[in-house]
Amino acid sequence: MAASIGAAPCRTLFRRSCGKRLSAAWGLLGGARGLVAQGETHLGFQTVPEAEKEQRVYQVFESVAKKYDIMNDSMSFGIHRLWKDILLHQMNPYPGTQLLDVAGGTGDIAFRFINYVRSQREYRLRQKLKSHQNLSWQEISKSYQEEALKPLGGSQVVICDINKEMVKVGKQKAQLLGYTEGLSWVVGNAEELPFDDDKFDIYTIAFGIRNVTHIDQALQEAYRVLQPGGRFLCLEFSQVNNPLISRLYDLYSFQVIPVLGEIIAGDWKSYQYLVESIRQFPAQEEFKAMIEDAGFLKVEYRNLTAGIVAIHSGFKL
Amino acid sequence: MLTSENTRSGAGARPEVAARRTMLGRATALRRGLQVAAGRTRGPDSGRGSAQPAGLDPALLGLLVCPLSKRPLRYEESSNELINEELGIAYPVVDGIPNMIPQAARKIEQAWHNYSGKKYHEIVVWQML
């Protein structure tokens, strides 16, 4: 497959040598990501009709749902946890924030958000108590009561994922880890969100947007449901800048990951799709332009791990 | 498909139905219809389905709208569904998780689809009286 070619650091050379449609007349849809016919889209390195992509992606995640977290840990050697922690630090939410986590499946971002907000709130309450040295016992007990009643300070997370299995796994995980309040689960399509306009303060989509058939529609929906002043955050695999790391990364992706997928999850094809879909996703600058097209302002991106992963951030102002 | 709260005031059809079709009658019927459908809400806050474990999280009711028309939904406790009357579709709630994918929605059989432009509760009240 493509692994044998892996030497070329140049992206377009890499893609064209995979033997896809080369006729320039078809190059309308897909832009720099490769040439596809009208009404067709990428499914990894294959070209499929758009209507089919959603269903195929659904099947991929349905089959990997139970082993999703284990696979994430083994494929990235646990680094994905660091990436998600960095995302939370960049988000820096305060108590009272309404978060919409799209493609949030197993709830990693949501749980981290709750932990973050909870610890922030405890920290602030403690600071408040420290600064008022001559509080009466009544006031002190009242502040402890407040903390017990509203440990999240009014924050709420809604986790939306298109796949029922992923949401089920996520909900079980939440019960297991003891996250009882502030979490709501919805099965919904990122291209047609079941939420009204101007509802959320932060919209995150972590490792999900490359699976969406119409990324621009998903971005427009993100713009719609965010409040003015709201923030869009996207954590996604992106293009590596460094040629040496790019070679190692390609080697690892195409030789090791599908094998791991077969051993651990019993599913080679799904993980082949995964690594291919990473290659097909637009580069940092192109994705930034797409976010700007949707109406977001002050769009920035930040590369993590030499560009393997990037956090794109935009504001609705 | 009539829901429980609307059949409560059922008194059977009477010949006065035709006589009621005046502007005044329509207004009265509207008001009656609103009282009849007291449990029904235009917006989110039903406050009924929150106690059941398989029911819907009340916090979500305030947020969810139909993904197709972006209009508010009504939570139907008996069948555990979120209903959009205008489009006549119902989204199932499975294990407390609402499934808001349009392809998963069920179309509701409606006899009153043939009444062009009339509102739901008006028609129900016509049938009651």
PDB file of all heavy atoms in Angstrom, chain A residues 126-134:
ATOM      1  N   ARG A 126     -11.490  28.229  48.434  1.00  0.00           N
ATOM      2  CA  ARG A 126     -10.465  28.241  49.465  1.00  0.00           C
ATOM      3  C   ARG A 126      -9.784  29.591  49.560  1.00  0.00           C
ATOM      4  O   ARG A 126      -9.513  30.098  50.642  1.00  0.00           O
ATOM      5  CB  ARG A 126      -9.431  27.148  49.191  1.00  0.00           C
ATOM      6  CG  ARG A 126      -9.344  26.123  50.302  1.00  0.00           C
ATOM      7  CD  ARG A 126      -8.368  25.031  49.998  1.00  0.00           C
ATOM      8  NE  ARG A 126      -8.797  24.203  48.896  1.00  0.00           N
ATOM      9  CZ  ARG A 126      -7.996  23.815  47.891  1.00  0.00           C
ATOM     10  NH1 ARG A 126      -6.744  24.195  47.871  1.00  0.00           N
ATOM     11  NH2 ARG A 126      -8.454  23.072  46.937  1.00  0.00           N
ATOM     12  N   GLN A 127      -9.525  30.178  48.400  1.00  0.00           N
ATOM     13  CA  GLN A 127      -8.913  31.509  48.393  1.00  0.00           C
ATOM     14  C   GLN A 127      -9.821  32.519  49.075  1.00  0.00           C
ATOM     15  O   GLN A 127      -9.373  33.394  49.818  1.00  0.00           O
ATOM     16  CB  GLN A 127      -8.665  31.960  46.951  1.00  0.00           C
ATOM     17  CG  GLN A 127      -7.575  31.209  46.236  1.00  0.00           C
ATOM     18  CD  GLN A 127      -6.213  31.481  46.831  1.00  0.00           C
ATOM     19  OE1 GLN A 127      -5.837  30.823  47.796  1.00  0.00           O
ATOM     20  NE2 GLN A 127      -5.490  32.401  46.286  1.00  0.00           N
ATOM     21  N   LYS A 128     -11.117  32.375  48.771  1.00  0.00           N
ATOM     22  CA  LYS A 128     -12.068  33.317  49.363  1.00  0.00           C
ATOM     23  C   LYS A 128     -12.067  33.183  50.877  1.00  0.00           C
ATOM     24  O   LYS A 128     -12.079  34.173  51.604  1.00  0.00           O
ATOM     25  CB  LYS A 128     -13.472  33.040  48.801  1.00  0.00           C
ATOM     26  CG  LYS A 128     -14.426  34.198  48.967  1.00  0.00           C
ATOM     27  CD  LYS A 128     -15.725  33.961  48.239  1.00  0.00           C
ATOM     28  CE  LYS A 128     -16.678  33.195  49.130  1.00  0.00           C
ATOM     29  NZ  LYS A 128     -18.016  33.035  48.553  1.00  0.00           N
ATOM     30  N   LEU A 129     -12.039  31.929  51.346  1.00  0.00           N
ATOM     31  CA  LEU A 129     -12.037  31.725  52.790  1.00  0.00           C
ATOM     32  C   LEU A 129     -10.772  32.271  53.425  1.00  0.00           C
ATOM     33  O   LEU A 129     -10.797  32.878  54.484  1.00  0.00           O
ATOM     34  CB  LEU A 129     -12.157  30.225  53.103  1.00  0.00           C
ATOM     35  CG  LEU A 129     -13.555  29.632  52.963  1.00  0.00           C
ATOM     36  CD1 LEU A 129     -13.519  28.152  53.241  1.00  0.00           C
ATOM     37  CD2 LEU A 129     -14.510  30.320  53.914  1.00  0.00           C
ATOM     38  N   LYS A 130      -9.655  32.053  52.734  1.00  0.00           N
ATOM     39  CA  LYS A 130      -8.380  32.528  53.290  1.00  0.00           C
ATOM     40  C   LYS A 130      -8.353  34.036  53.407  1.00  0.00           C
ATOM     41  O   LYS A 130      -7.807  34.595  54.350  1.00  0.00           O
ATOM     42  CB  LYS A 130      -7.230  32.075  52.374  1.00  0.00           C
ATOM     43  CG  LYS A 130      -6.500  30.855  52.864  1.00  0.00           C
ATOM     44  CD  LYS A 130      -5.239  30.660  52.081  1.00  0.00           C
ATOM     45  CE  LYS A 130      -5.244  29.259  51.490  1.00  0.00           C
ATOM     46  NZ  LYS A 130      -4.159  29.035  50.558  1.00  0.00           N
ATOM     47  N   SER A 131      -8.928  34.693  52.394  1.00  0.00           N
ATOM     48  CA  SER A 131      -8.791  36.152  52.366  1.00  0.00           C
ATOM     49  C   SER A 131      -9.673  36.823  53.396  1.00  0.00           C
ATOM     50  O   SER A 131      -9.406  37.933  53.821  1.00  0.00           O
ATOM     51  CB  SER A 131      -9.120  36.678  50.970  1.00  0.00           C
ATOM     52  OG  SER A 131     -10.450  36.352  50.656  1.00  0.00           O
ATOM     53  N   HIS A 132     -10.762  36.146  53.776  1.00  0.00           N
ATOM     54  CA  HIS A 132     -11.588  36.732  54.836  1.00  0.00           C
ATOM     55  C   HIS A 132     -11.255  36.073  56.155  1.00  0.00           C
ATOM     56  O   HIS A 132     -11.749  35.018  56.479  1.00  0.00           O
ATOM     57  CB  HIS A 132     -13.072  36.498  54.532  1.00  0.00           C
ATOM     58  CG  HIS A 132     -13.521  37.230  53.308  1.00  0.00           C
ATOM     59  ND1 HIS A 132     -13.705  36.602  52.106  1.00  0.00           N
ATOM     60  CD2 HIS A 132     -13.796  38.531  53.099  1.00  0.00           C
ATOM     61  CE1 HIS A 132     -14.088  37.486  51.216  1.00  0.00           C
ATOM     62  NE2 HIS A 132     -14.148  38.669  51.788  1.00  0.00           N
ATOM     63  N   GLN A 133     -10.400  36.729  56.936  1.00  0.00           N
ATOM     64  CA  GLN A 133      -9.923  36.084  58.148  1.00  0.00           C
ATOM     65  C   GLN A 133     -10.938  36.110  59.276  1.00  0.00           C
ATOM     66  O   GLN A 133     -10.944  35.264  60.137  1.00  0.00           O
ATOM     67  CB  GLN A 133      -8.634  36.768  58.623  1.00  0.00           C
ATOM     68  CG  GLN A 133      -7.457  36.489  57.714  1.00  0.00           C
ATOM     69  CD  GLN A 133      -7.178  34.998  57.587  1.00  0.00           C
ATOM     70  OE1 GLN A 133      -7.327  34.249  58.541  1.00  0.00           O
ATOM     71  NE2 GLN A 133      -6.798  34.573  56.407  1.00  0.00           N
ATOM     72  N   ASN A 134     -11.800  37.127  59.273  1.00  0.00           N
ATOM     73  CA  ASN A 134     -12.700  37.242  60.411  1.00  0.00           C
ATOM     74  C   ASN A 134     -14.132  36.876  60.037  1.00  0.00           C
ATOM     75  O   ASN A 134     -15.074  37.601  60.312  1.00  0.00           O
ATOM     76  CB  ASN A 134     -12.645  38.652  61.003  1.00  0.00           C
ATOM     77  CG  ASN A 134     -12.772  39.685  59.895  1.00  0.00           C
ATOM     78  OD1 ASN A 134     -12.806  39.343  58.723  1.00  0.00           O
ATOM     79  ND2 ASN A 134     -12.836  40.950  60.262  1.00  0.00           N
TER      80      ASN A 134
END
